[in-house]
Amino acid sequence: MDHLGKHTAPNEKRTVRYLTVGLIALLLAGGAYFGVTRISSHLKNSKETIAVKESQTSSKEKHTASKPAQITPQSREKQKTAPQSAKRTSTSKKTADPKKKTRTAAQIKKQLISPAKELTESAGKVYYGVYYFNDKQEFSSKNSEPTIAADIIELFIMEYALAQKDGKDQIIQEKRLSEWLTPMIQQNDRDATNVLIDHYGMDNLNTYFKEQGYLDTRIEHRIVDINVRIIDRNNYTSLNDCLKLLKKIYTDREKDPQKFMLELLTGQTIRTKIPQKIPTDVPVANISGEQQNVENDGGLVLTKDNPFAIVVLTQDVSDIVKIRSAIADFSLAATK
């Protein structure tokens, strides 16, 4: 028994050693497994993190592509500068054409003062005026008052007649109104004028003139031959009244009856004054008037860049040729 007891002791020690070695191996294997697991987990997390970042980056790029560029103070300033620069370019193009540039009253006066002086040297009394529709400027003698109308009175009769019921289609002595107005306006046909004066009546005509604000315009007798000297009564108008009616015709020229009035005036055959020296390609719509010692003309000069109304009324004319030439020179100067 003693011998057996002595023999088992080394085995127990060996067993303890094996257990110890096994435990150490187990611990080492566990540590190794734990380390490998951690590394593998870390790698997996890193890949996921990279994938998420790539996904976020891609999403940001898509969002940036679809989102409008952010407006910064610098970009906003550029946006303001661009149209202003374009506007300046456009403006410079507009002002490059001197014909379209608005003129001042002083510039117009400088242009017309010399030919206007020639007018006043050609007759005892002269009333003149020019109104530019684009410039909104007027140059005149500033002495408007009632003066002998001569055939200029036909301009006012025309407006009254066309303001009546049926307009140019009215029937007067078996003719349409337009058949009376055409020779009256375009040829100074006094017979046609007297037919209309008799048909409408002087009182009705004069009442209408006052209602329209033509305070100096009135008819006191029928139209007579140019060589008949009238002493007791006359037909009257004024510079302001004529300019007022011409402005009305121009302003409403796209609609009747003003459109028809402009057509009649444009067909004027008497071209001895306002239209005489104006280039033939410039339309002139005028009404001329002559009476003993009286030379009148008024109308619209329809230049492309700056159309204008013009009126010249004279009395005590001693030289017909000289005053007509002066009116022509004044009209031509107004077109420049």
Side-chain angles (χ1 to χ4, degrees), residues 210-224:
K210 287 183 179 180
E211 290 173 348
Q212 297 302 309
Y214 310 132
L215 304 181
D216 299 322
T217 300
R218 65 184 183 274
I219 298 177
E220 295 186 355
H221 64 80
R222 299 168 85 244
I223 304 298
V224 297

Side-chain angles (χ1 to χ4, degrees), residues 240-285:
N240 288 348
D241 286 359
C242 290
L243 282 174
K244 184 173 184 176
L245 179 48
L246 290 169
K247 289 176 185 178
K248 187 191 299 186
I249 293 172
Y250 180 82
T251 301
D252 296 327
R253 66 193 179 281
E254 298 297 332
K255 59 185 181 181
D256 284 326
Q258 286 77 18
K259 183 177 181 180
F260 182 61
M261 294 168 70
L262 184 61
E263 290 174 1
L264 288 175
L265 292 167
T266 305
Q268 177 63 255
T269 61
I270 301 173
R271 303 178 64 84
T272 55
K273 285 168 267 189
I274 289 176
Q276 183 185 1
K277 297 181 181 180
I278 293 176
T280 56
D281 61 338
V282 177
V284 178

Side-chain angles (χ1 to χ4, degrees), residues 97-335:
D97 187 354
K99 292 183 179 180
K100 295 184 179 180
K101 188 175 180 181
T102 301
R103 295 171 299 171
T104 64
Q107 290 172 321
I108 293 172
K109 181 178 180 180
K110 182 179 180 181
Q111 172 185 333
L112 296 177
I113 192 66
S114 179
K117 186 178 180 181
E118 292 181 18
L119 283 175
T120 60
E121 293 173 350
S122 303
K125 288 187 177 181
V126 179
Y127 313 87
Y128 59 82
V130 178
Y131 179 81
Y132 292 95
F133 293 101
N134 291 351
D135 291 335
K136 302 290 188 297
Q137 296 285 355
E138 181 173 323
F139 173 78
S140 78
S141 53
K142 295 182 173 57
N143 61 344
S144 183
E145 63 181 3
T147 187
I148 298 173
D151 301 291
I152 294 288
I153 199 68
E154 296 165 353
L155 185 67
F156 299 90
I157 295 173
M158 174 177 64
E159 186 190 38
Y160 173 86
L162 289 170
Q164 305 312 302
K165 184 180 179 181
D166 297 328
K168 61 184 178 181
D169 295 323
Q170 298 169 66
I171 301 300
I172 301 173
Q173 295 186 11
E174 299 181 356
K175 287 184 179 181
R176 296 171 65 209
L177 173 61
S178 58
E179 295 179 74
W180 294 109
L181 290 177
T182 300
M184 181 183 79
I185 295 298
Q186 297 181 355
Q187 301 165 21
N188 283 359
D189 188 323
R190 291 172 172 82
D191 291 335
T193 307
N194 287 329
V195 166
L196 297 183
I197 291 175
D198 293 342
H199 177 75
Y200 293 118
M202 292 184 193
D203 290 341
N204 291 331
L205 287 162
N206 290 330
T207 298
Y208 176 83
F209 299 157
K210 287 183 179 180
E211 290 173 348
Q212 297 302 309
Y214 310 132
L215 304 181
D216 299 322
T217 300
R218 65 184 183 274
I219 298 177
E220 295 186 355
H221 64 80
R222 299 168 85 244
I223 304 298
V224 297
D225 186 83
I226 187 173
N227 295 315
V228 175
R229 184 173 183 82
I230 301 172
I231 300 176
D232 55 341
R233 292 181 300 171
N234 248 308
N235 297 327
Y236 295 92
T237 189
S238 67
L239 173 64
N240 288 348
D241 286 359
C242 290
L243 282 174
K244 184 173 184 176
L245 179 48
L246 290 169
K247 289 176 185 178
K248 187 191 299 186
I249 293 172
Y250 180 82
T251 301
D252 296 327
R253 66 193 179 281
E254 298 297 332
K255 59 185 181 181
D256 284 326
Q258 286 77 18
K259 183 177 181 180
F260 182 61
M261 294 168 70
L262 184 61
E263 290 174 1
L264 288 175
L265 292 167
T266 305
Q268 177 63 255
T269 61
I270 301 173
R271 303 178 64 84
T272 55
K273 285 168 267 189
I274 289 176
Q276 183 185 1
K277 297 181 181 180
I278 293 176
T280 56
D281 61 338
V282 177
V284 178
N286 70 300
I287 178 75
S288 182
E290 292 85 28
Q291 193 170 306
Q292 200 169 67
N293 303 118
V294 174
E295 290 289 332
N296 296 338
D297 208 350
L300 298 166
V301 179
L302 305 174
T303 60
K304 183 178 179 181
D305 295 318
N306 211 347
F308 59 90
I310 180 170
V311 175
V312 179
L313 307 174
T314 69
Q315 287 189 48
D316 303 327
V317 175
S318 57
D319 189 330
I320 293 175
V321 174
K322 186 176 180 181
I323 190 61
R324 288 182 178 180
S325 179
I327 293 173
D329 289 337
F330 181 71
S331 304
L332 178 62
T335 65

